[in-house]
Amino acid sequence: MNVRPVGYVLAMLLVVSTAAAVGADRPPKDLHWTGDHWTPWNPPVPPADVQVYKIVRGDTLWGIAKRTYGNPYLWPQIWEKNQYILDAHWIYPGDPLVLGPEVAPAEKLAAAGTGTAEPSTEAGEPEPSKPVPGVLNAGAAASPPGPLGAESDIYCSGYVGDVAESFPYAIVGSEYDALSPRLLDRAGAAETGTYGVINTAKYGLSTGDLVYLDGGSERGLTPGQLFTIVEPAQRVVHPVSRQLFGRFYHYVGRVRVLSVQEKTAIAEIVHSCDPVMVGSRLIPFQAEPVPLGRRTAMRPVNYPTAAEKLADAPTIIFSQDDIVSMGEDHVVFIDRGAQADVTPGDVYTIYRQNRPGLPPVILGELAILSVHPKSSVARIIRSRYEIFVGDRLEVK
């Protein structure tokens, strides 16, 4: 799938706007002395084989990306590599930034070609490398990467977690509950349903509606906090083992706390992917930049991996909205996450097991967008054939 420059710029602008909504005007608290400077973060010691930049006064991720990558819109790529920074608007002089692997300049690599010894000319200069069909030189490979998905793929999808996960807060009511006369059953009690009192003027809430939360100042809520709205959905059975894997938790929107009482709070729905219901759970909102990657050629279809390597391979375990037949740009969920060292931006080749004795069939590729403890959200970026839940994966 080719990424058009216009789409790339728009995707990056969306990332910038999302990050700007998260506490940009509130500096982190609890500074501590680390090495030779003050910082609120806990920077790890960078590995020896990476390129490291030390932040100086006046730096921004935007400016650093412009100087080092030649494109300021690539700042989320730096933030993604340095996840100890919890708010991209607040970086501190002295903190280290990992920029990427330690490599020679692209011009030097391009001149070196394949890296093998070259015959010299009479002037003593190496002859230029001959291009190899189908192989990118360093200059071409160093072109700016593009986004592997869209913000909606992350913020309007969800995750597969434990069957009975706990959540700190919930939506317990809305303004519309008071706008309709109460309906009483024969015993004189208010009729209730799965999501609370059923006699409300509006069930499916959306952007701009006010809701009430079941926590207040005594439980740590403060005005301005952002929460993701989560709707627990169906259980997920692993398509290969046929064992219960977990439950799908659907992201349906986002709320911002407006005011706080002792035991309750009033919040506004500031983003909705689907209708929001009273009873939905809340988790603190975390901004996730859309991962970037370079589109490279897919694995040759006549050179698949060995069938035995897919016996215990990562697997597509769930598709949102119960979609059966999937292709390019569909969002799926896989059975590997942070516990298996999966990271955003990883690309996997999609396979289907063949008849016994025959090699697996290459179906396409998917890219990891968001990672959770035992599952990940991915987007199919290439498809040769229809893709189904149960298809296997191999990291590219």
Side-chain angles (χ1 to χ4, degrees):
M1 181 180 71
N2 295 324
V3 178
R4 296 191 298 270
V6 173
Y8 163 72
V9 172
L10 289 176
M12 289 296 94
L13 287 174
L14 287 172
V15 172
V16 173
S17 65
T18 300
V22 185
D25 57 347
R26 295 187 179 184
K29 300 178 181 179
D30 302 325
L31 295 178
H32 56 273
W33 185 257
T34 301
D36 57 355
H37 64 285
W38 290 96
T39 179
W41 315 130
N42 296 297
V45 177
D49 57 347
V50 298
Q51 182 183 3
V52 178
Y53 173 80
K54 183 172 285 191
I55 299 170
V56 299
R57 183 179 295 275
D59 271 340
T60 62
L61 294 185
W62 175 276
I64 295 170
K66 183 177 181 180
R67 294 197 307 272
T68 57
Y69 295 161
N71 187 339
Y73 289 102
L74 298 183
W75 68 266
Q77 188 176 14
I78 299 177
W79 190 20
E80 183 180 333
K81 289 183 173 69
N82 298 273
Q83 296 186 16
Y84 72 87
I85 298 175
L86 302 183
D87 188 333
H89 295 90
W90 298 97
I91 60 176
Y92 286 75
D95 278 353
L97 290 179
V98 172
L99 299 180
E102 185 66 52
V103 295
E107 314 84 57
K108 184 176 179 180
L109 289 175
T114 60
T116 58
E118 298 278 352
S120 298
T121 62
E122 293 182 359
E125 294 294 330
E127 293 181 353
S129 302
K130 297 180 180 180
V132 180
V135 177
L136 293 176
N137 62 25
S143 59
L148 296 172
E151 277 195 328
S152 60
D153 297 332
I154 297 175
Y155 297 132
C156 290
S157 56
Y159 66 97
V160 179
D162 295 333
V163 174
E165 296 207 354
S166 60
F167 298 89
Y169 306 102
I171 297 175
V172 294
S174 76
E175 285 188 318
Y176 297 101
D177 296 344
L179 299 182
S180 177
R182 279 189 167 290
L183 298 180
L184 303 180
D185 61 18
R186 292 182 180 179
E191 298 221 13
T192 59
T194 303
Y195 299 106
V197 177
I198 64 172
N199 51 305
T200 180
K202 184 177 182 181
Y203 284 103
L205 307 174
S206 58
T207 302
D209 288 338
L210 296 186
V211 295
Y212 305 111
L213 312 185
D214 64 350
S217 58
E218 68 176 16
R219 293 180 56 195
L221 283 182
T222 58
Q225 286 180 295
L226 280 171
F227 290 91
T228 297
I229 307 169
V230 182
E231 187 65 42
Q234 65 264 46
R235 296 187 176 198
V236 176
V237 174
H238 198 285
V240 177
S241 69
R242 308 310 300 172
Q243 300 295 313
L244 180 63
F245 185 84
R247 184 185 297 277
F248 174 58
Y249 295 91
H250 178 35
Y251 294 155
V252 295
R254 195 154 55 244
V255 299
R256 183 190 302 276
V257 178
L258 299 180
S259 62
V260 175
Q261 298 77 47
E262 182 180 357
K263 297 182 181 295
T264 60
I266 301 175
E268 179 187 8
I269 299 175
V270 294
H271 178 246
S272 57
C273 310
D274 288 305
V276 177
M277 307 300 291
V278 171
S280 296
R281 282 35 168 218
L282 302 175
I283 57 175
F285 171 74
Q286 293 183 345
E288 293 188 64
V290 177
L292 307 175
R294 295 185 178 91
R295 301 300 177 94
T296 58
M298 195 165 64
R299 180 165 181 149
V301 296
N302 63 330
Y303 189 64
T305 192
E308 54 268 22
K309 289 186 177 180
L310 299 179
D312 192 32
T315 304
I316 298 174
I317 60 169
F318 185 75
S319 66
Q320 196 169 334
D321 299 323
D322 295 323
I323 296 175
V324 175
S325 176
M326 295 168 288
E328 193 167 309
D329 294 336
H330 277 110
V331 173
V332 296
F333 300 81
I334 74 170
D335 64 351
R336 299 292 196 277
Q339 296 173 357
D341 296 326
V342 178
T343 59
D346 289 347
V347 175
Y348 288 79
T349 302
I350 308 172
Y351 288 93
R352 182 167 302 146
Q353 293 281 36
N354 210 330
R355 288 182 294 152
L358 296 180
V361 177
I362 295 176
L363 303 177
E365 290 182 342
L366 61 76
I368 302 299
L369 302 182
S370 179
V371 175
H372 299 270
K374 67 175 188 177
S375 68
S376 297
V377 183
R379 179 175 177 144
I380 299 172
I381 57 176
R382 285 191 178 95
S383 60
R384 299 178 60 236
Y385 300 109
E386 294 173 313
I387 294 168
F388 301 127
V389 169
D391 286 332
R392 311 297 179 86
L393 308 169
E394 182 183 54
V395 68
K396 188 174 181 180

